[in-house]
Amino acid sequence: DSEYPIGDHPIYKELSNKPMPKQRPLQVNFGFYIESLGNFRSTEMTFDVDMYLYMSWQDETYKHNQSDYILISDKDILDKMWLPGLYFANARTAYFHDVTVHNFNLFIAPDGTIAYGTRVTLNVACNLFLQDYPLDKQVCGIKVLSYAHVKEEMNVTWFSDGPIRFNPAINLPEFHITALESSYCDGLFHYTITKNSSRIGW
């Protein structure tokens, strides 16, 4: 791997106000590694999850002639780069980790493929059905959407191989994890443009 301080690599000169890559639709793959899971609150209908979010896409303007990946681990550089702008639609709160440093890494392959990973903690809303308690079975989801781009502009899909993985040491006192599954949202979303207009996307 090659790591450069701010300003030393030619790619840095291309980062200022970086627009979205030109490919349409831009293919963005993503997945999770769930580090911890718990605090299911029946009164608030929420649970907490600490996880690593991984994304990958290609930006041909970042092609380079290094023999290996270029590592970006400086937050000042990351802030100048275009990122897919995914968000967690059913999260009540969310935050990124920055102790002792910002918890992320980003690799740029010679062909411009970008691999980005970051750690995030969420408090997620989940409707719990407790009529069968204590023999109840709950299904809770984490909804991930693009904040600004419709499907014709950016196609967000799960990684094809093991998109959701979890720490086998997770131990829930009241629940037993039976499955972690990936699926896709099925519905229309309105992206507001002005007070009286919106874009419709999937």
Side-chain angles (χ1 to χ4, degrees):
D1 299 340
S2 301
E3 184 174 5
Y4 293 81
I6 295 177
D8 281 5
H9 195 279
I11 283 182
Y12 182 76
K13 297 180 175 60
E14 304 295 330
L15 295 179
S16 182
N17 299 318
K18 187 68 179 177
M20 180 180 181
K22 294 181 179 180
Q23 303 96 301
R24 293 293 184 274
L26 177 66
Q27 180 64 42
V28 176
N29 299 315
F30 80 104
F32 302 151
Y33 179 84
I34 297 176
E35 181 65 37
S36 65
L37 183 69
N39 293 331
F40 286 84
R41 305 173 183 88
S42 58
T43 55
E44 299 177 13
M45 297 289 184
T46 63
F47 67 97
D48 295 336
V49 58
D50 183 14
M51 68 181 189
Y52 296 90
L53 170 65
Y54 299 102
M55 292 184 280
S56 181
W57 66 97
Q58 186 178 32
D59 187 340
E60 294 183 353
T61 62
Y62 285 149
K63 286 183 177 180
H64 59 84
N65 57 8
Q66 300 287 324
S67 60
D68 204 345
Y69 292 87
I70 293 174
L71 169 62
I72 303 294
S73 59
D74 190 299
K75 185 65 164 52
D76 289 336
I77 295 179
L78 181 72
D79 288 342
K80 293 180 178 294
M81 298 183 69
W82 182 89
L83 297 175
L86 303 184
Y87 78 106
F88 302 96
N90 61 331
R92 293 189 176 179
T93 60
Y95 67 88
F96 294 101
H97 290 254
D98 57 6
V99 178
T100 57
V101 295
H102 292 280
N103 293 187
F104 82 94
N105 55 36
L106 186 146
F107 296 91
I108 305 176
D111 67 352
T113 297
I114 296 173
Y116 171 65
T118 187
R119 184 183 175 193
V120 60
T121 293
L122 309 173
N123 176 246
V124 183
C126 176
N127 291 325
L128 302 177
F129 299 95
L130 303 173
Q131 59 267 33
D132 295 326
Y133 181 85
L135 302 176
D136 53 313
K137 181 179 180 180
Q138 307 295 338
V139 178
C140 293
I142 300 174
K143 297 180 181 179
V144 183
L145 300 174
S146 166
Y147 197 83
H149 300 290
V150 296
K151 188 175 181 180
E152 290 76 14
E153 298 170 347
M154 189 169 76
N155 186 32
V156 181
T157 59
W158 295 99
F159 284 119
S160 58
D161 183 20
I164 303 177
R165 296 173 292 126
F166 71 99
N167 181 356
I170 292 176
N171 184 22
L172 302 177
E174 297 181 359
F175 292 99
H176 175 67
I177 299 175
T178 58
L180 290 174
E181 300 176 350
S182 59
S183 61
Y184 291 95
C185 300
D186 183 15
L188 293 175
F189 299 90
H190 290 264
Y191 295 80
T192 301
I193 297 178
T194 66
K195 179 180 178 180
N196 299 313
S197 67
S198 63
R199 301 175 68 196
I200 297 177
W202 294 93

